[in-house]
Amino acid sequence: MKLYIDGHLNDSVFSAGSMYDILYGGSIKSFIPEGKVIKSIAINGTQYDDLMLDADKSKAFKLGDADEIKITTMNQLELLNGSLNAAIKFLNEFKAGVVKTTDEIRWGNSNAGFKNFSAYLSGLTMFIQIMEKISQFLKIDYNNLVYDGKSVQSYFNDLEKILASVLSTQVKQDYVLLADIVEFELKPNIDIWSNILKDMKTKINGVSNAEGK
């Protein structure tokens, strides 16, 4: 098996049964430059970046001696900025889905509106995973991180309550109430989260720039 790190072929004899061994096994860490993390993965010329977020899928992805793996790395600041940018992009798309949902419901197309909205709701899992990874990486407690006089954890709690109300209206099939919750509670909450992420990005880059002087 050939393993390339940032375009350089690793001279060590390397073998792995699955991509899980590559991503989560201890041996790969010795090949990654200090202070760097994996940015992208290509296997036989095809990108498989999603394997980095799905342990079960990486376990199922078996490798052979003829496979060629190319790993690109990035520094920690790039990782944080990339994660925050991905979260901001998702929230913008989610907000568009929220607007579309309320429009369809108010125009009497409730079933289609909620069906489309459900697809966006499932994406919140990825958003939460990103936020958890940022918390672990920066070693911060969202209870102690404050935005606009309120802890970030409180905003998480607000989001959970809103989503609980959304699911409740789905069970009751009260689509008029659903449209109201989405428009007047969820949408403003998403706007707040967008600002929280932008604020975090500004602070992280500000600290990095100060340390680099």
Side-chain angles (χ1 to χ4, degrees):
M1 180 186 306
K2 291 183 178 180
L3 175 65
Y4 291 83
I5 306 292
D6 292 330
H8 302 290
L9 177 63
N10 191 286
D11 295 329
S12 304
V13 176
F14 192 83
S15 62
S18 70
M19 276 307 300
Y20 185 86
D21 300 328
I22 295 283
L23 296 171
Y24 300 95
S27 60
I28 189 64
K29 294 180 181 179
S30 63
F31 301 133
I32 303 297
E34 185 176 355
K36 297 290 189 73
V37 293
I38 296 175
K39 178 180 181 179
S40 64
I41 299 171
I43 305 171
N44 302 324
T46 302
Q47 292 295 131
Y48 288 98
D49 296 346
D50 59 321
L51 296 177
M52 291 186 286
L53 294 174
D54 193 329
D56 290 334
K57 191 172 181 179
S58 68
K59 287 179 182 178
F61 198 108
K62 303 302 180 183
L63 297 170
D65 292 337
D67 287 325
E68 182 179 88
I69 302 170
K70 293 184 177 181
I71 291 177
T72 303
T73 66
M74 59 182 168
N75 62 38
Q76 296 175 350
L77 182 59
E78 288 178 297
L79 170 64
L80 289 172
N81 277 318
S83 298
L84 288 170
N85 286 338
I88 291 170
K89 179 181 178 182
F90 165 74
L91 290 179
N92 288 335
E93 293 174 350
F94 187 82
K95 183 178 176 180
V98 165
V99 173
K100 184 176 180 181
T101 295
T102 54
D103 287 345
E104 289 184 325
I105 290 175
R106 296 195 189 286
W107 284 99
N109 197 7
S110 300
N111 291 330
F114 197 84
K115 182 179 179 180
N116 292 332
F117 183 58
S118 295
Y120 284 100
L121 280 178
S122 63
L124 281 176
T125 301
M126 182 68 70
F127 168 70
I128 293 172
Q129 287 178 344
I130 290 175
M131 295 304 294
E132 288 177 347
K133 288 184 180 296
I134 291 174
S135 173
Q136 294 169 4
F137 191 79
L138 293 178
K139 297 180 180 179
I140 58 175
D141 183 347
Y142 286 133
N143 285 297
N144 299 325
L145 185 64
V146 176
Y147 174 77
D148 197 23
K150 183 175 175 179
S151 74
V152 171
Q153 184 58 52
S154 294
Y155 290 111
F156 270 118
N157 297 339
D158 292 343
L159 180 59
E160 289 178 359
K161 291 177 182 178
I162 294 170
L163 293 178
S165 297
V166 168
L167 294 177
S168 176
T169 58
Q170 179 190 18
V171 173
K172 297 176 182 178
Q173 296 185 349
D174 189 343
Y175 295 114
V176 174
L177 179 58
L178 170 64
D180 287 342
I181 293 174
V182 168
E183 182 174 0
F184 300 113
E185 296 184 42
L186 183 57
K187 184 174 176 291
N189 187 267
I190 296 303
D191 287 335
I192 291 173
W193 271 109
S194 293
N195 291 330
I196 289 174
L197 295 178
K198 291 174 183 176
D199 184 63
M200 289 178 64
K201 185 176 178 181
T202 298
K203 288 177 179 177
I204 290 171
N205 285 286
V207 170
S208 177
N209 290 335
E211 292 177 345
K213 291 182 179 179

